[in-house]
Amino acid sequence: EYGGMGDVKCCKCEFDIPANVKSDLGCAHHFCSLCWEKELTKQFDNPRKSIKEFGCPRCPSLLKELNQTNIILNENTLKRWKALQNTMPTNPSKLEDFNYEYKNGKIVNKETGEPFHWVDQPHYNALGDIILKYIQDYMVKEFKLKEVLLPLESNKQGDPTNNIFMTANVLNQTCETLFLIIQGSGEVRPGQWARSLCINDSLDTGTIFPYLERALNLHWGVIVFNPNQNIAQVEDGVTAEGKVLYKKVPVPGSKTGRDHIIYVWDNFVTKSNAKYIVAVAHSAGGDALVNLLRKKASEVFPRLCGVAFTDSVHTIHFKDNEVKGYMETHCINWVTSDKPLDLSLIHI
């Protein structure tokens, strides 16, 4: 409170403030230090408010630089600002380049411990790509899964491929139970259920890590599918200026999610000596698995003991009596609901 001894009024509390301690962004809206901190804290505390949109709460003027004229920030606000600025690297190659790390399965700012803060869609996409690498590296290092490039016939660098992951006991034919994990559509890749959950919630909800941990404790073999990476970028010449050109081409054997499931079944699952085979299929992964049931019923029905669908988008034709009969006795589809867990929703 300055009690009328200053040059301007705070447009929030309307107290007079000395000109040398006011904050503004070069616009006509002046704030005392207390009100400015409160207004800016609201913007920091909204994780969906882009740092690029931080600014005057009364007009479109933006806070662009810390040395911007007439800006006064306390030590904590200054720290938060710098920490967010450091989440926008130029050429990131690892998660730490974004000034983020995972602690107890949740992504936090390395300097402040605060959760992910939105910047813009390109930043979100770049962070998502780095997090995918983090997840898949973790599966290899901590869960000891092996990465396998498909198609198996690909033997030349630059060929279009996608990747799946599996435990060593699948490859060396020593698992009694084989567990198939099939994710849904969109930007997710092997190891993920939902990219947004990996960023905004936790690895426990966004990845297959809890499934892997339980399966490995039971000494099961695991294959992690990749049904929605159907296109690859391959080099397509060089411009006169030396810029490498790329083109998008289908991945052989995985041109669609349905093709991918059949390819992995034919080349890996059928060769397994596992006595029991079980599966979890999410969203569009459920559709691809139902197509496998339809196309290879005589092979699949005797070996696939059960399927847990989650929010699956599959459909069953009224003439698919064989598939329908199998699914009624071997499959359950868990869907998002506010009803109690495991309550049958068929008749609700």
Side-chain angles (χ1 to χ4, degrees):
E1 298 182 8
Y2 297 100
M5 54 184 293
D7 302 327
V8 297
K9 285 184 178 294
C10 172
C11 66
K12 181 70 174 179
C13 68
E14 297 188 348
F15 278 103
D16 291 333
I17 51 177
N20 64 336
V21 294
K22 69 180 177 67
S23 287
D24 63 56
L25 297 172
C27 57
H29 304 108
H30 311 294
F31 296 87
C32 69
S33 58
L34 181 60
C35 289
W36 172 246
E37 292 293 344
K38 286 182 178 179
E39 292 296 332
L40 193 55
T41 296
K42 290 179 184 178
Q43 299 179 54
F44 275 113
D45 290 344
N46 179 3
R48 298 296 299 175
K49 176 80 171 180
S50 171
I51 186 175
K52 295 181 178 181
E53 298 173 353
F54 280 20
C56 177
R58 300 294 180 90
C59 74
S61 298
L62 299 176
L63 174 62
K64 297 179 180 178
E65 301 292 342
L66 286 176
N67 60 0
Q68 199 166 334
T69 304
N70 294 334
I71 292 297
I72 299 174
L73 299 175
N74 68 27
E75 184 176 348
N76 182 60
T77 304
L78 183 61
K79 179 181 178 180
R80 297 179 79 184
W81 172 266
K82 289 182 177 179
L84 279 186
Q85 289 283 346
N86 290 337
T87 65
M88 298 184 288
T90 303
N91 295 303
S93 61
K94 57 186 182 299
L95 184 59
E96 291 76 11
D97 293 340
F98 283 90
N99 202 32
Y100 284 117
E101 62 183 345
Y102 275 104
K103 281 191 174 181
N104 299 319
K106 294 181 179 292
I107 196 168
V108 296
N109 189 290
K110 292 181 64 178
E111 297 177 49
T112 64
E114 295 181 339
F116 168 74
H117 199 109
W118 175 263
V119 175
D120 55 27
Q121 192 63 48
H123 174 269
Y124 183 83
N125 292 341
L127 177 61
D129 291 342
I130 292 295
I131 287 175
L132 173 62
K133 183 178 184 301
Y134 174 92
I135 290 169
Q136 295 188 344
D137 286 347
Y138 194 93
M139 291 197 300
V140 171
K141 293 175 183 177
E142 301 299 325
F143 292 111
K144 309 303 181 186
L145 269 63
K146 309 292 183 182
E147 182 179 20
V148 178
L149 296 182
L150 304 181
L152 296 174
E153 300 79 12
S154 176
N155 54 19
K156 185 174 64 175
Q157 186 175 5
D159 283 351
T161 62
N162 73 4
N163 60 339
I164 62 174
F165 294 81
M166 63 185 67
T167 51
N169 58 359
V170 174
L171 296 171
N172 61 27
Q173 306 290 339
T174 59
C175 63
E176 183 178 23
T177 299
L178 177 58
F179 182 28
L180 314 180
I181 301 178
I182 308 169
Q183 84 267 14
S185 60
E187 295 297 327
V188 293
R189 295 292 182 263
Q192 295 175 308
W193 294 127
R195 185 172 70 171
S196 61
L197 291 177
C198 296
I199 296 175
N200 297 302
D201 191 51
S202 73
L203 294 178
D204 279 350
T205 58
T207 73
I208 67 171
F209 288 176
Y211 292 76
L212 289 177
E213 184 173 358
R214 186 169 184 183
L216 296 183
N217 285 338
L218 294 169
H219 306 292
W220 289 3
V222 178
I223 299 179
V224 185
F225 287 65
N226 189 6
N228 58 339
Q229 188 174 347
N230 314 119
I231 301 294
Q233 284 193 349
V234 298
E235 291 188 12
D236 189 34
V238 181
T239 66
E241 295 78 21
K243 182 180 179 180
V244 179
L245 300 176
Y246 294 90
K247 64 179 179 180
K248 294 182 178 181
V249 297
V251 177
S254 296
K255 293 181 180 180
T256 68
R258 292 180 171 187
D259 291 342
H260 175 82
I261 300 299
I262 291 175
Y263 185 91
V264 176
W265 177 272
D266 288 343
N267 286 276
F268 295 96
V269 182
T270 59
K271 297 176 182 179
S272 168
N273 293 325
K275 184 177 179 180
Y276 308 102
I277 301 176
V278 294
V280 169
H282 178 61
S283 184
D287 172 77
L289 184 56
V290 169
N291 180 69
L292 176 70
L293 300 179
R294 187 179 296 115
K295 297 289 187 181
K296 293 181 173 287
S298 61
E299 292 181 30
V300 177
F301 290 178
R303 301 200 67 191
L304 188 59
C305 302
V307 179
F309 293 104
T310 58
D311 278 328
S312 178
V313 296
H314 64 265
T315 57
I316 304 173
H317 195 272
F318 72 93
K319 292 184 179 180
D320 289 337
N321 292 324
E322 191 177 13
V323 173
K324 184 177 180 181
Y326 171 85
M327 293 184 67
E328 286 177 346
T329 55
H330 293 77
C331 307
I332 295 177
N333 185 22
W334 279 268
V335 298
T336 304
S337 172
D338 57 1
K339 303 294 183 181
L341 181 64
D342 293 334
L343 177 69
S344 175
L345 301 180
I346 294 176
H347 304 297
I348 295 179

